[in-house]
Amino acid sequence: MGIREFPGGTPRGKGIAIMRRSPDVSPRRLSDISPQLRQLKYLVVDEAIKEDLKWSRSVEDLTGGPAGLTSIEERILRITGYYGYQPWAASYKREERPRDGPGPAEAPAGAEAGRANRSGCRCSGLQLRKLSWGLAVVLCVCASWAGSTQLAKLTFQTFDAPFTLTWFATTWNCLFFPLYYAGHVCKAADRQSVKQRYRECCRFFGDNGLTLKVFFTKAAPFGVLWTLTNYLYLHAIKKINTTDVSVLFCCNKAFVFLLSWIVLRDRFMGVRIVAAILAIAGIVMMTYADGFHSHSVIGIALVVGSASMSALYKVLFKLLLGSAKFGEAALFLSILGVFNVLFITCIPVILYFTKVEYWSSFNDIPWGNLCGFSVLLLTFNIVLNFGIAVTYPTLMSLGIVLSVPVNAVVDHYTSEIVFNGVRVIAIIIIGLGFLLLLLPEEWDVWLVKLLTRLKVRKKEETAEGGGDLGSGPRNKSRRARPSFAR
């Protein structure tokens, strides 16, 4: 039954007789059940009752108190129906249920079970499809990010102009909204014109749409942060190897958490603080791996600055603009490309005439490498921003950290990198911190539920095994009796 008795209490049969009352009777005052309180002092809620009360207020209150359990009087009031649940009614109905085969009244329940099974299969099929798309997205993110990093390193051998490369690649952001509209025309049932779609996406910036004030207050700062993030990353590739650059850039996830905790007042999570500490420790160890040389220190500082700008971009976007739909995100990124063309173009020109970033003739520019890098970076941003439509965000983030071993393999065969113990430990620490930051906020609750299920299943298997062992010798003795008679 649903009640278990501790030693020294009322006998079991008596307690059950007390609890089996008519469903119409429900006590409303503590004095109405004072005799029962004295007799049932040591009673607790059994697992069967907890299963029956899983969605009722009673169990939530029983398990949600400050100390896990409230006073015995309040527990008895809840169990006996003070809060609207009548456990004797549930047990009474269970016992009156016929034990023969299902009749016509139970046929709808079977149909509901069939529908539940079909919906479960449909959900599992949807999850399988999402995981399949997730694998494709992870490979795409990893290949595009690692490929753009390696191609940038190759470009700098003949074209030493990181800011010009940043400007050239950012200009390709203007293609975001046209590509999105092409997808909208191909997929949407109610197709809109370009003007209608543009006006609808402009509502993201407010009721007045995209005005000149909005452009300079809400788009221009993000254009500057976008340019700084990419420029610092590319400039760091000139100083240190691509493996160190890619693994240090993974620290931006930790910086996003710290800024969100400070600025956005996000929920505090101890595991993410540990991940941030691991990221900082990895940065220090990566600096120590090359012996604190000037080039390595400058390169590491540039990557950390790039990761910080990326984190600041994400946090400010959430603070000022909130969340964006696919069309709104595509329009915003295209606006960043327009800002780059209008206001950043003068900087590469100044750098060229001051010979900071100088090339002898335009024929010497490796256009193939520049276009290849821009296409890979555009692909990376498209998949990262719109891949959430087909898979889970966590899987997309895994593609970034998986680019680290890809870059390590390429560096091993194309450069003189030395994977000493300190560098390997630093890579592992930063990667571990990145993976810890991917844990959901309720990961501890899920872990407790998983451990509880495993514990219950183990107890059930142990009980079944004990029952099999207990019935085994009896069967053997029954089979052996005829042989003894002979």
Side-chain angles (χ1 to χ4, degrees), residues 146-192:
S148 61
T149 303
Q150 292 295 331
L151 197 55
K153 186 78 170 180
L154 183 63
T155 304
F156 290 147
Q157 296 178 3
T158 56
F159 185 71
D160 189 7
F163 195 91
T164 304
L165 181 59
T166 302
W167 170 84
F168 184 80
T170 307
T171 305
W172 287 58
N173 280 11
C174 297
L175 298 175
F176 267 101
F177 190 75
L179 291 174
Y180 163 76
Y181 183 74
H184 166 74
V185 170
C186 295
K187 298 287 290 184
D190 50 341
R191 300 175 184 175
Q192 297 176 333

Side-chain angles (χ1 to χ4, degrees), residues 180 197 200-201 204 317 323-331 385-386:
Y180 163 76
R197 199 63 191 164
E200 185 175 340
C201 294
F204 172 66
F317 187 91
S323 59
K325 300 177 182 178
F326 294 127
E328 296 166 350
L331 178 62
N385 284 280
F386 304 120

Side-chain angles (χ1 to χ4, degrees), residues 309-390:
M309 293 296 105
S310 175
L312 185 61
Y313 175 95
K314 295 177 181 177
V315 174
L316 285 180
F317 187 91
K318 191 174 181 181
L319 178 65
L320 299 178
L321 299 174
S323 59
K325 300 177 182 178
F326 294 127
E328 296 166 350
L331 178 62
F332 183 80
L333 292 171
S334 295
I335 291 172
L336 295 186
V338 173
F339 173 81
N340 180 74
V341 173
L342 295 178
F343 297 98
I344 307 296
T345 305
C346 59
I347 299 179
V349 175
I350 295 172
L351 294 177
Y352 175 79
F353 285 107
T354 56
K355 295 188 177 182
V356 176
E357 292 185 358
Y358 181 77
W359 53 93
S360 57
S361 66
F362 285 91
N363 295 327
D364 297 334
I365 298 177
W367 292 106
N369 291 350
L370 265 67
C371 292
F373 171 79
S374 302
V375 169
L376 287 174
L377 194 60
L378 181 67
T379 304
F380 172 78
N381 287 311
I382 288 175
V383 175
L384 206 62
N385 284 280
F386 304 120
I388 192 175
V390 294

Side-chain angles (χ1 to χ4, degrees), residues 156 226 233 257-258 344 397 410:
F156 290 147
W226 181 284
Y233 185 87
F257 163 69
L258 293 175
I344 307 296
S397 300
V410 175

Side-chain angles (χ1 to χ4, degrees), residues 250-281 283 304 307-308 310-312 314-316 433 437:
C250 291
C251 297
N252 76 321
K253 202 82 173 175
F255 299 155
V256 168
F257 163 69
L258 293 175
L259 287 175
S260 300
W261 181 38
I262 296 171
V263 178
L264 302 178
R265 305 295 181 183
D266 279 2
R267 176 186 171 186
F268 174 81
M269 290 182 63
V271 67
R272 293 186 178 178
I273 289 292
V274 173
I277 294 173
L278 289 176
I280 296 172
I283 293 171
V304 173
S308 303
S310 175
L312 185 61
K314 295 177 181 177
V315 174
L316 285 180
L437 288 166

